[in-house]
Structure formats: structure tokens, C-alpha cells
Amino acid sequence: MNTMPLKPVLSAALAAVFMIGAAHAQPAANSSTKTTPSPMERVASASERHDRSLARADAAFLKQAVQNGHAEIEGSKLALTKAGSEKVKAFAQQMIDDHTKANDELTQLAKAKGVELPTEPSLMQKGKQKLLEHSDGADFDRRYAETLGVKAHEDTIKLFRKGAQEAKDADVKAFAEKTLPKLEHHLEMARELHAAVGGKSEGKSGKADKGK
């Protein structure tokens, strides 16, 4: 009887076992790679979750609110050098103090929520300030009281009322509610200042609007 050499048979068997084992090991390795995220993937995922932690409307409120504050502060600093009335200068200094404090609180809130805020007024707000820069004395007083005094506070109050009513985040909502009374007081002061420096009173403005 012819017999095959033992050594070649064993070698062939061992090779077959090795190939089968490698074939089973490769899918397992691939499966492990797919289910285990890399450190960079874990960091990116955590960042995305943090960005989504605040509703888009709430983040937009914070950004617009801080820009309004920057515009009020920058315009009021201009008033300290260009205003002719001491009443206007006193009002401007209070606006600087109050809006700086509000912006500081807003910045801390935004930081806690992972929202990056603008550090200056919007382009439109900068354009309005440029117009103010071309006036002085009594003319500046009237323009400042009307634009950054009355109109700007009316717009900001609308923004904060919406935030107080519709904000999804409890901390954002609380900030809007807490700040709103101060803004409403600013508007009352601004209207009185506007009338004092020669602007139309609210009553006259109302009649004019009805007549249009």
C-alpha cells in the first residue's frame, strides 16, 4: 500500500486551520472597529450635543440682546463727548452702567449655555451711530434721545418680552423676565428726555400717526 508522506499532510492541514481562523477573526475586528468610536469622534459627538443643548431661538435672542446692549453702550459713550445737555450726558452714563452690567450677566449666561456672542453692534447699528457722529450739541441731543433713547429701547423691549414669553430654556427666560422692568424704566426716562430736548411728545406723535 502506498502511503503519503506525513509531513506534507500535516503542513497542509495546519495551513487550512490558519486560513479559517484568519477569516473568522477579520469580521470580528471590523465589527469592533465600527462599534467603538475613536477619541476624536467622541469629542465631536459631545460638542454637537452641547451646541444643540440650547434652542436656536433662545441662542438668537441672546445674540441680538447683547448686540443691542453693545449699540446702547457705544452710542452713549459718544453722547458723553458730543451732547450739549447735561441731562443727556447723565442719561447716557446711566445707560452705559446699566447695559454694561446686563451684558456682563448675559455673557456669563451664554458661556454656560455654550453660545458664542457677538462682541460689537450689528452693521446696521454701526451705521446709525455713524449718522450720530455727524451731529453735535442740541442736534445731537435730539437725535440721540430719539434713536438710542426711545426707538432702541422700544425694539429691545419687544425682544425681551418675546424672550420672557417664548424662551425654552428656563435660565434664558428668567434673564429676560428679570431685565425687562429695567428696560421699561429706561424707556420712560428716554421719553421724558426726548420731550425735554425738543422732541415730539408721545401724545403729539400719536395724533400724527392717527392722521396719516
Side-chain angles (χ1 to χ4, degrees):
M1 178 182 295
N2 293 332
T3 58
M4 294 182 63
L6 184 59
K7 191 172 181 180
V9 172
L10 288 175
S11 297
L14 288 172
V17 170
F18 177 78
M19 291 177 66
I20 293 172
H24 283 288
Q26 188 169 356
N30 289 342
S31 175
S32 175
T33 302
K34 289 178 182 178
T35 56
T36 305
S38 69
M40 289 299 293
E41 288 172 336
R42 286 195 294 269
V43 170
S45 178
S47 178
E48 289 170 2
R49 286 196 301 272
H50 192 57
D51 289 344
R52 292 196 298 266
S53 64
L54 199 67
R56 182 174 297 179
D58 289 1
F61 163 75
L62 295 179
K63 292 176 181 180
Q64 184 62 62
V66 81
Q67 281 191 315
N68 288 7
H70 286 314
E72 194 70 43
I73 293 166
E74 293 303 316
S76 295
K77 286 179 178 178
L78 186 64
L80 294 181
T81 61
K82 282 185 164 286
S85 167
E86 290 302 318
K87 289 183 178 180
V88 172
K89 291 181 179 180
F91 175 84
Q93 186 60 60
Q94 184 168 347
M95 294 305 101
I96 293 170
D97 295 342
D98 290 352
H99 283 279
T100 298
K101 181 179 178 181
N103 268 16
D104 288 344
E105 293 178 12
L106 200 159
T107 300
Q108 291 301 315
L109 173 60
K111 185 177 180 180
K113 301 299 178 180
V115 178
E116 186 175 350
L117 296 178
T119 58
E120 57 186 8
S122 68
L123 290 176
M124 182 178 293
Q125 289 165 338
K126 287 181 179 180
K128 291 179 179 179
Q129 184 170 325
K130 282 290 183 184
L131 293 177
L132 270 179
E133 291 176 1
H134 295 294
S135 56
D136 292 283
D139 182 44
F140 178 92
D141 293 348
R142 286 191 295 271
R143 290 175 181 270
Y144 169 78
E146 180 180 354
T147 56
L148 286 174
V150 177
K151 290 183 178 178
H153 279 95
E154 287 176 343
D155 291 341
T156 301
I157 285 170
K158 289 178 183 177
L159 176 70
F160 272 74
R161 281 177 179 166
K162 185 176 181 180
Q165 294 169 0
E166 301 179 8
K168 305 298 182 186
D169 184 89
D171 295 328
V172 174
K173 187 180 183 71
F175 173 78
E177 291 174 342
K178 182 187 76 170
T179 309
L180 190 54
K182 175 70 75 174
L183 294 171
E184 290 171 338
H185 178 58
H186 285 178
L187 179 57
E188 291 177 5
M189 294 172 61
R191 285 173 173 162
E192 291 175 2
L193 181 66
H194 189 226
V197 296
K200 293 180 180 179
S201 68
E202 191 175 356
K204 291 180 181 178
S205 297
K207 290 179 182 178
D209 290 340
K210 289 179 182 178
K212 289 181 180 180

